[in-house]
Amino acid sequence: MKDWPNRPSEHRTLFNPAFLAVLIADIAAGYEDESKQPLPYVLPFLSVPIVIHEPTRESLPTIATSMYAWLDRRPQARVEIPLLAPQFVESIREAIRFGALHDALKFGAGGSIVPLDLSKPRRGSQTPELRRCRDRARFTGRWLGRAGDPGTILVAWGLRV
Amino acid sequence: MQICCIALYHRDGNRRHELKFQPGKFNVVTGVSDTGKSAVLEIVDYCLGSGTHGVYRGPQLETIGWYGLQLIIGGERIFVARRRPPIGQKTSDHAMLIRGGVLPAPSKMYQTTNIATVVSELEKLIGIDENLQEPPEGSTRDPVTAGLRHAVPYVLQPQRLIADPKYLFDGQEDNFKEQHIRDTLPFFLGAVDQDSLAQRRDLRTRRLELRKAQAALADSEHADSAVIARASLLLDEAAKTGLINSDTDTAVADVRAILREAIDSEPPEEGSTLTGDAEKIAALQDRKNELGDTIREVRAEKRILMHRAQLAADVATEFEERASRLTSLDLLPNDDAVDEACPLCGSDSSPRSPAAHQLRKELDVVRAQTASAVYSEPGLEEVIDVYEQRIQAFVDQLETVDSELQVLVARDKAAAHARTRLEQQAYLRGRIEGFLQEHPPIDASEGDGLRRQVKLAEKRVDTLEKLLSADATRERTENALSYVGADMTKMAQRLALSYAAEGVRLDPVALTVVGRDPSGPIWLNQDIGSGKNWVGYHVITLLALHRYFIDNKRPVPAMLLLDQPTQAFFPSTKRDDPNRALGDMRDEDQEQVRRIFDLLRETVSSLHGGLQVIVMDHAEFEDEWFEDAVGQNNWRGGRGLVPNDWYA
């Protein structure tokens, strides 16, 4: 990962650490809602790509649909996400630190992630696309929360830790 | 035609023997031998073209090489000769004919022509011209042309025939020959005369004329009805194209008058709208095309602009999103934190995350970019609007032009339709005019004329057919035979022949003599009576016929050859006795024989040389006329047809 001034503009803007941190906090919040547990440390590396990859994001089902059933129906997800995820590992790690630094989240037991309250923004309104991403992030968190243990989930998505 | 002499030429070419006869007179050949005498008839027949050489053989005849006949026909001497068939042949074709009649020397006998030609020449000389005997209608026979051969039955009465009740004429025992005799008798009697050929030609011509006249009449009648049909068709078309009122009564008889009226009427004025529209329409069409092109161009330009605008918009959107994501910073509770050590592990070695202020700086940059991106295409939206307006203006113009065009086209179509109609009318006028010229009404008088012609032709044909009808021939034959019969009756009564009291006649169909007895007609061929009777009947029939032929100048050889007429009168024991004499007969038979000979003599003399009779007979009379009749032809004492030294 390059130093900030040397990164490509997409990474500096579309995938800036503040944005990713916010998403991670939203995912953790959804996960905790569903499973009453903090988000395991590894899951942001799966779930953030899901949210920022627009085709995958927009094809997410309702909460009632089992993740495994959905994956069976939509096998391209198991190809696209494993290709995308490695490119964001560094960014996500950085985003977690950034989030922790700026009190978007904190660490729980075993390095799991606990969301902090982001309901009071300090200024401006969010664009519709931003809002959509945050909403899907929350959903993804819940969806993962119902899907069982992290190892099984990762394998189901074709990811290796 | 009569015989001057019979000339026999020896085979050796050195010798010639003549038998002289007197033309126009009663000739007798008397003598001992039976052969020889009968050979005379055979020789005459052969020289006149018979199909086969006679049945008589014998050493005398085998010495002969050529048979010659010196004839006299119409005052001219004609010599004909025919070669005796060589051994093994039935007949010979070799013949000679010399006009002038000088007998050729024995060494000069060789073929110069054939017998058919000889016969043909003789026919011409006698005057048997072309003639055609048509059998009665319905008969299956072919028409027969009478020739010399058909006249021979009136000339020859061979020995076996002269006392035959059944057959009157030589050859009659043959069905075909009998039929020919039947068919040609009318001709020889003159019941079918020489003119019939010309008349038949005439009839054919008249029949053709009749057919033509009938055809012309039929044509004109047929043509008229066909013409009327065509006229009706034209009338229908005239009604359709408005040339005549459609309610005109077309069933009226005089279609021609209606048609004439139709084309004489004034054609209507041409409308003023008929011209000029075409140009206007064309101009509007062009304008429409122009506008269409212009609109397309402007639209294309607008599309380009819009594409640019869209690009710009897309870029703007992206920048906005970047800006937005960067503002996530504002979502974080603590934006002032400084990253010094890893919050997780506290280590310091990871690369520095951007500080919040760096993110803000980033945001400012993005925002600036966004703003400039939006303003790098100044007035694009306005330009696009202007284009929109222009397009709309052109579209409006196009619509105007289009509606104007439609109005004009509708008007033009009506004009075209009217024009077409006028054209149709004009064309129809032309056709009607042509039709009326081609088919002027047929004069009633013309039809009458044709009918008169037909009647005239029919009458002509009728007349000729009557003239030529077989019925007419039969009538005339019967008429002729009535004269013959009257003659026969006189002679029969003179000879006291039986059944002759009430008249006898020749039946031209039965070819026999018909007499009467109390019970009705008696036909000779019914075998009634005796041989003596039959001889008498043969003689009188032929004499009567010849008298008729001669009186009416018919083309029949004016000669009659009778072979052994007295034989039947000899007692049967003596009949074949070569030495029989008149004295061997019963008295009444002698009387009868004398009567017959007298009859023959007197008939010949009454015809003043017109008829020659040659009798070959055994009987001898003491009378002077008999010696005159015999002349050199007494074959008694060993003389005969052929000189003894020829075959001795």
Side-chain angles (χ1 to χ4, degrees), chain A residues 14 97 102 107 122 127 129, chain B residues 321 324 334-335 344 350:
Chain A
L14 291 173
R97 274 199 7 240
H102 291 278
F107 294 105
R122 280 175 298 111
T127 62
E129 206 235 2
Chain B
E321 192 50 45
S324 167
N334 175 8
D335 63 341
L344 227 65
S350 61

Side-chain angles (χ1 to χ4, degrees), chain B residues 280-292:
Chain B
K280 259 182 149 177
I281 288 172
L284 283 176
Q285 292 273 25
D286 286 342
R287 180 93 190 102
K288 205 172 140 185
N289 292 340
E290 261 179 53
L291 283 172

Side-chain angles (χ1 to χ4, degrees), chain B residues 179-193:
Chain B
Q179 195 54 55
H180 285 166
I181 295 169
R182 205 174 277 132
D183 284 343
T184 56
L185 176 60
F187 166 72
F188 288 118
L189 286 172
V192 180
D193 70 331

Side-chain angles (χ1 to χ4, degrees), chain B residues 130 132 134 143 195-212 457 460-462 464-465 468:
Chain B
E130 302 175 32
L132 197 66
E134 283 183 9
D195 286 345
S196 71
L197 191 69
Q199 278 172 345
R200 264 172 231 285
R201 270 200 290 268
D202 218 14
L203 177 61
R204 274 198 290 276
T205 310
R206 297 286 175 216
R207 278 200 181 127
L208 207 61
E209 276 175 17
L210 174 62
R211 272 199 292 275
K212 274 193 194 153
R460 287 203 183 112
V461 167
D462 227 21
L464 280 173
E465 276 179 344
L468 290 169

Side-chain angles (χ1 to χ4, degrees), chain B residues 35-53:
Chain B
T35 60
K37 287 207 287 294
S38 295
V40 167
L41 271 72
E42 296 283 344
I43 289 165
V44 170
D45 198 15
Y46 188 64
C47 286
L48 293 180
S50 80
T52 53
H53 183 252

